[in-house]
Amino acid sequence: MYRAMVRKIELALVALVTALVVAACTSEQAVRRPSGDAASLERRAEAEEQGGDFGAAAQLHRTLAERSSGTEKARHLLEAARLDIRIDNLAGAAAELDQAAAVADADQAMLISVLQADIAVHRNQTDAALARLAGLPKQLPPALLTEADRVRGAALFAAGRPVDAVRALVERETWLDSAPAILANQRLIWDGLAASPAAQTAKPSGDPIVDGWLALAPTAAAHPSDEELRRRLLDWRRRYADHPAATGLLAELLRGQRENQTFPSQIALLLPLGSPQRVAAVAIRDGFLAERFSDAQGRESTIRVYDTASLGAQQAYSRAQLDGADFIVGPLLAPDVEQIVPGAGAVPTLALNYATAQTEFPAGFYQFGLSTEDEVQTVAEQAIRRGARTAVALYPTSARGIRILNSFRADFEALGGRVLADAGYDPAAQEFSGPIETLLNLDRSQQRRTRLAANLGVSLAFEPRRRQDVDMIFVADLDHQTGLLLAPALRFHYAGDIPTFATSEVYVPGRGSGDSDLDGIYFPVSPWLVDTAPDSLALRRSLETYWPQRARSDVIRFYGLGVDAYRLVRALYGRAESWPLEGVSGNLVLDSSGRIHREMPLAQFRGGRPVAVETAPSPERLAGTP
């Protein structure tokens, strides 16, 4: 019964054993460099092992051992023995270890003891295996230590000592320094618990990590259905939320259930429907469902909507998992995203906002939203591509305004630009003359005129002269209503010829041609709002027909967010789509941390309405470089 579990354990950390036998060959008196033929045989042995033919690989190492001497001979014999153990050729492995012992150095001799203990475990001679491991020195090289602890854990499970086995493998995990190695170690514990009858009745040890593993033993041994396995694992995680297996092994076990699925059969949508953000939440829901109903495969899936306003984000997230969700979309609000991060990892999740905590997010946790930082990046890149190298910036004196200003400064200067000056304004006062005059040095021009008039004692005809070293103006966090006042103020103060950029809040869809005061301002835009392609036109037309109140308001952006969220479920779950992914809110790009960014085109107000502008060429092309 135990041998099947041992064979699974054999698959773990082969690289560590190989590294050890290679590193052990340091005795110069007997090492011989492989000849060209020997090198070819070794490459063949490696290829056979990678292809799963362990017997052929072992035979090649035996051939190499016959052509070698000293520690090089021992190295090939150890490799052959390791491979023979994997195919249950225990007699052959034992003979190879006996031959290797005659020429092995000290490190190789310790590895021989570990492999002999491994053979003993396969033969159900657990006392002999543990005795041989006990004879090893207390201080071992890390690679040999982890291999010895692997065999020790297997022996203790086979001996009916699950508490000691789990403790040994938990200690082993502290020496592992990569996520795959740690996950493989957790698999050893899970498989050991599944094969150990004694684990089902083991008493708590008092160690919360060990006891958490023991609590998994009934589930590991029961081999329940997929639905029951999910329920049991998620119930266990509620009790052991901080356990190492909560975000490692559990996610792997649940991921295994999804291996044959190309699209989730059940999707949970977490939105604050009962909150002040209800209008945006409903628009996201409707966009998500509309895209789902246009997808033949998606119509086979079930969508369950959870109100995070009434349930709370954590409760809604837990309930969605227990209800059998294969994929979770949401929550929407940034504080809610922060709340669910500690419990994420078991089910693929697409949060519709971004966590601010600087932490490493679990695999399968993605973040996507209408990020202003993505828009600022677009502004900085497009301004640089259009030849801007210097900028001045206006910003509302709010925390958000300052954050957006700092984001623009960082992006623009990282691309080689320079922000010459910035000036804040009070958005409530709606008085822009002072900040604009300061920003453009008009106040200095006025001061010079005052001094000159005083010196001459006469009144002077005067036209202020603004600074001439500015390539662009950036206005941070410029909403539509403020823009209608600020844009004319810029023109009044002689800045009408300076390219001015803002973020998408300056535009409210559905206003026809009523925004002529904004003419000239550039801003990033969701492609479908200005695109003339048939799909975009059809989407806008359906909104105007069925939800005209949404087509004429800022809520349309959230409808687009819902459409893109559905498209991302397919891309992230099936992993078949190539990136960037074409979305209605921009080209969507997935980075290594699971964050999804929008690459957006620019629009410009012309004749009171937004018009898509051609993406500027790269700075190299602007400079004439082919």
Side-chain angles (χ1 to χ4, degrees):
M1 174 183 64
Y2 199 72
R3 183 165 294 182
M5 187 274 291
V6 172
R7 277 197 293 269
K8 291 181 181 179
I9 292 176
E10 292 297 324
L11 299 176
L13 296 175
V14 170
L16 286 176
V17 186
T18 304
L20 180 65
V21 296
V22 170
C25 299
T26 58
S27 175
E28 295 185 1
Q29 67 175 18
V31 173
R32 298 190 308 185
R33 292 186 180 275
S35 65
D37 184 49
S40 175
L41 288 175
E42 195 151 3
R43 286 194 297 271
R44 283 176 53 195
E46 182 179 352
E48 294 288 3
E49 181 176 353
Q50 290 177 348
D53 193 340
F54 305 126
Q59 179 57 52
L60 287 166
H61 279 293
R62 284 192 290 271
T63 299
L64 285 163
E66 293 172 0
R67 300 181 182 183
S68 307
S69 62
T71 55
E72 182 72 2
K73 180 182 184 71
R75 180 173 76 86
H76 288 297
L77 287 169
L78 286 168
E79 287 285 1
R82 176 180 63 80
L83 292 161
D84 277 333
I85 292 172
R86 294 187 67 174
I87 59 175
D88 273 345
N89 180 15
L90 303 181
E96 287 151 0
L97 294 177
D98 287 342
Q99 294 177 54
V103 290
D105 63 17
D107 285 347
Q108 289 174 328
M110 289 188 289
L111 181 57
I112 288 170
S113 292
V114 172
L115 293 176
Q116 287 173 333
D118 204 359
I119 291 172
V121 171
H122 280 72
R123 289 172 169 168
N124 293 320
Q125 298 168 353
T126 55
D127 289 342
L130 292 170
R132 189 170 290 278
L133 293 172
L136 292 171
K138 298 298 182 184
Q139 301 295 326
L140 295 173
L144 185 57
L145 174 66
T146 56
E147 187 64 11
D149 281 346
R150 177 189 69 80
V151 178
R152 182 178 287 107
L156 290 167
F157 270 126
R161 297 165 56 186
V163 175
D164 292 334
V166 171
R167 187 176 284 114
L169 292 172
V170 167
E171 175 66 23
R172 177 179 186 265
E173 192 164 305
T174 64
W175 290 93
L176 303 176
D177 57 4
S178 73
I182 290 170
L183 181 59
N185 189 68
Q186 293 178 355
R187 267 287 186 184
L188 299 183
I189 300 175
W190 172 265
D191 291 338
L193 293 170
S196 173
Q200 315 307 310
T201 56
K203 295 181 179 180
S205 67
D207 182 326
I209 301 300
V210 174
D211 292 343
W213 278 113
L214 294 175
L216 278 173
T219 300
H223 304 294
S225 66
D226 286 352
E227 183 176 349
E228 178 64 13
L229 176 63
R230 176 196 296 272
R231 189 193 64 77
R232 290 190 182 196
L233 291 179
L234 294 174
D235 182 64
W236 176 89
R237 195 179 65 174
R238 277 203 303 273
R239 291 181 288 142
Y240 298 96
D242 297 328
H243 195 278
T247 55
L249 179 68
L250 259 68
E252 181 70 15
L253 292 171
L254 293 173
R255 191 177 299 118
Q257 297 180 340
R258 304 188 291 268
E259 284 182 352
N260 297 322
Q261 291 180 277
T262 58
F263 195 79
S265 58
Q266 182 170 312
I267 302 171
L269 193 54
L270 277 55
L271 294 168
L273 296 170
S275 75
Q277 292 78 26
R278 171 177 171 77
V279 173
V282 169
I284 292 169
R285 180 198 65 189
D286 292 347
F288 190 90
L289 293 176
E291 185 70 6
R292 178 253 185 156
F293 285 121
S294 70
D295 176 28
Q297 185 178 12
R299 286 197 295 268
E300 302 299 320
S301 64
T302 300
I303 311 293
R304 302 187 68 166
V305 182
Y306 299 79
D307 183 7
T308 55
S310 61
L311 293 172
Q314 287 179 315
Q315 179 64 23
Y317 192 70
S318 296
R319 183 175 296 183
Q321 294 179 83
L322 290 172
D323 288 346
D326 299 301
F327 200 105
I328 298 175
V329 178
L332 173 63
L333 307 180
D336 290 350
V337 176
E338 300 277 2
Q339 288 184 33
I340 69 164
V341 169
V347 176
T349 300
L350 175 66
L352 297 178
N353 213 316
Y354 302 94
T356 57
Q358 299 298 315
T359 184
E360 183 176 346
F361 298 104
F365 183 78
Y366 309 98
Q367 300 174 77
F368 170 60
L370 301 179
S371 167
T372 303
E373 282 71 17
D374 288 342
E375 297 185 16
V376 170
Q377 179 73 30
T378 294
V379 167
E381 289 178 352
Q382 286 299 306
I384 289 287
R385 283 170 173 254
R386 283 172 161 73
R389 294 298 179 267
T390 58
V392 293
L394 281 165
Y395 65 95
T397 52
S398 63
R400 175 178 164 85
I402 294 170
R403 176 172 60 83
I404 294 173
L405 168 68
N406 291 335
S407 179
F408 170 74
R409 186 191 305 276
D411 290 341
F412 190 68
E413 294 186 347
L415 293 168
R418 186 161 61 97
V419 178
L420 301 176
D422 59 70
Y425 64 87
D426 181 357
Q430 296 187 338
E431 165 48 47
F432 310 111
S433 293
I436 293 173
E437 289 175 358
T438 299
L439 198 63
L440 300 178
N441 289 348
L442 291 170
D443 55 345
R444 297 182 187 178
S445 183
Q446 181 65 41
Q447 290 166 8
R448 287 193 298 271
R449 178 257 185 189
T450 302
R451 286 196 304 269
L452 183 58
N455 290 335
L456 296 175
V458 296
S459 178
L460 299 174
F462 172 74
E463 182 173 309
R465 178 178 172 82
R466 66 165 174 83
R467 66 190 302 166
Q468 300 297 306
D469 58 348
V470 177
D471 295 331
M472 67 165 288
I473 298 172
F474 174 66
V475 187
D477 201 23
L478 180 63
D479 62 54
H480 176 262
Q481 196 60 40
T482 304
L484 292 173
L485 300 173
L486 189 144
L490 287 170
R491 288 191 288 270
F492 177 80
H493 288 89
Y494 312 101
D497 60 333
I498 304 176
T500 300
F501 294 77
T503 50
S504 65
E505 289 86 358
V506 74
Y507 170 51
V508 174
R511 286 177 52 86
S513 57
D515 287 333
S516 57
D517 281 342
L518 295 170
D519 278 359
I521 291 181
Y522 293 94
F523 63 96
V525 66
S526 296
W528 72 302
L529 297 181
V530 293
D531 190 8
T532 57
D535 288 349
S536 296
L537 289 172
L539 190 54
R540 292 203 302 272
R541 194 171 295 118
S542 68
L543 269 179
E544 291 166 357
T545 301
Y546 300 109
W547 293 290
Q549 70 280 11
R550 294 183 192 162
R552 297 188 178 93
S553 74
D554 197 41
V555 177
I556 195 171
R557 292 189 179 92
F558 292 99
Y559 186 92
L561 178 63
V563 170
D564 279 350
Y566 182 87
R567 295 181 181 182
L568 284 166
V569 170
R570 178 180 297 283
L572 296 169
Y573 193 86
R575 292 301 185 104
E577 282 81 357
S578 59
W579 299 87
L581 180 72
E582 184 177 344
V584 298
S585 55
N587 278 346
L588 309 180
V589 180
L590 175 66
D591 70 17
S592 59
S593 70
R595 186 180 177 113
I596 294 158
H597 303 269
R598 293 180 299 154
E599 295 178 343
M600 305 171 67
L602 278 185
Q604 185 183 38
F605 281 105
R606 298 174 184 172
R609 65 172 67 243
V611 176
V613 297
E614 186 177 352
T615 298
S618 67
E620 290 78 9
R621 289 186 62 189
L622 282 170
T625 302

